[in-house]
Amino acid sequence: MLIFPIVTERLELAPLSAADRDAFVAYRRDPDVARWQGWSPGYSVADADALLSGQPATVEPGSGRWLQVGVRRAGILVGDVAVHALADQPDTYEVGVTLAPAAQGSGYATEALSALVDGLFAGGAHRVFAITDARNEPVARLFDRLGFRHEGRNVDADWFKGEWTSIDTWARLRS
Ligand SMILES: CC(C)(COP(=O)(O)OP(=O)(O)OC[C@H]1O[C@@H](n2cnc3c(N)ncnc32)[C@H](O)[C@@H]1OP(=O)(O)O)[C@@H](O)C(=O)NCCC(=O)NCCS
């Protein structure tokens, strides 16, 4: 179980709340951010309200649910990390990450995900993984830097935004 807030050298991580809505919508609408994610630049305030009001309070192992965790620098939302507790495998978590464009290139994603992943393993996780678009070079550098193993690439396996897309799996094991 993750205990929030998680405080790092420069950042504070805690579940997103309604107060984060406008900043969250702003970076989700950025085409360079939306390109790699499951939403589009048309992401709306109503979309955010639905997500934020429906999310769990914490990460329950095996719940099958995602928790969106805000990443804040000096009280300002700079992005989020997301954790999915798989329902069909014990102690297994998928993670994702998004930074506002202005906050990229400063190591915040590395710092935030590193703390989140450490928290998951400290809480008994067996495996933490991420699935990424094979064309997304910054995210590949990120997971490599975090010590995730590149487990494989499924070639042209995902029909995503109107084209066949190759997807990479990255993972770290507790062991
Ligand atoms: C994926 C994403 C979060 C990566 O962001 P990022 O800013 O490249 O990653 P970090 O915040 O860890 O920053 C690392 C970069 O900052 C540089 N950096 C500068 N100062 C740094 C510091 N103090 N510490 C560490 N890195 C630093 C690093 O050299 C690195 O740059 P490089 O990759 O060109 O070598 C970002 O590209 C993003 O939000 N993309 C859109 C959404 C997305 O694709 N999400 C992934 C889907 S799972």
Side-chain angles (χ1 to χ4, degrees):
M1 169 99 71
L2 290 170
I3 297 170
F4 298 108
I6 296 173
V7 178
T8 69
E9 198 181 326
R10 298 178 294 174
L11 306 169
E12 186 167 305
L13 280 61
L16 285 174
S17 72
D20 297 309
R21 186 187 69 184
D22 292 349
F24 180 69
V25 169
Y27 63 71
R28 282 204 160 200
R29 290 178 67 89
D30 187 292
D32 290 333
V33 169
R35 175 180 177 202
W36 305 114
Q37 300 278 27
W39 63 83
S40 76
Y43 194 82
S44 69
V45 167
D47 292 331
D49 281 340
L51 184 150
L52 296 175
S53 66
Q55 75 163 355
T58 189
V59 181
E60 292 296 333
S63 69
R65 301 188 70 189
W66 281 93
L67 178 68
Q68 258 0 95
V69 178
V71 177
R72 296 179 184 80
R73 164 107 166 113
I76 310 281
L77 188 74
V78 296
D80 61 87
V81 288
V83 201
H84 170 208
L86 263 64
D88 60 352
Q89 295 291 346
D91 302 322
T92 303
Y93 299 87
E94 180 179 0
V95 293
V97 58
T98 303
L99 286 182
Q104 295 177 13
S106 299
Y108 296 150
T110 305
E111 190 170 320
L113 262 187
S114 173
L116 186 87
V117 170
D118 284 353
L120 289 169
F121 283 122
H126 159 71
R127 179 173 181 261
V128 180
F129 72 98
I131 295 183
T132 67
D133 187 314
R135 300 166 300 180
N136 189 343
E137 292 175 7
V139 85
R141 289 197 295 275
L142 171 64
F143 283 110
D144 189 50
R145 218 167 22 244
L146 287 165
F148 280 58
R149 177 190 288 130
H150 183 216
E151 292 188 324
R153 172 166 299 175
N154 289 12
V155 178
D156 280 359
D158 189 33
W159 182 253
F160 180 66
K161 301 194 176 184
E163 59 185 327
W164 286 111
T165 304
S166 299
I167 45 178
D168 286 347
T169 302
W170 299 85
R172 246 169 76 179
L173 294 174
R174 181 183 182 78
S175 58

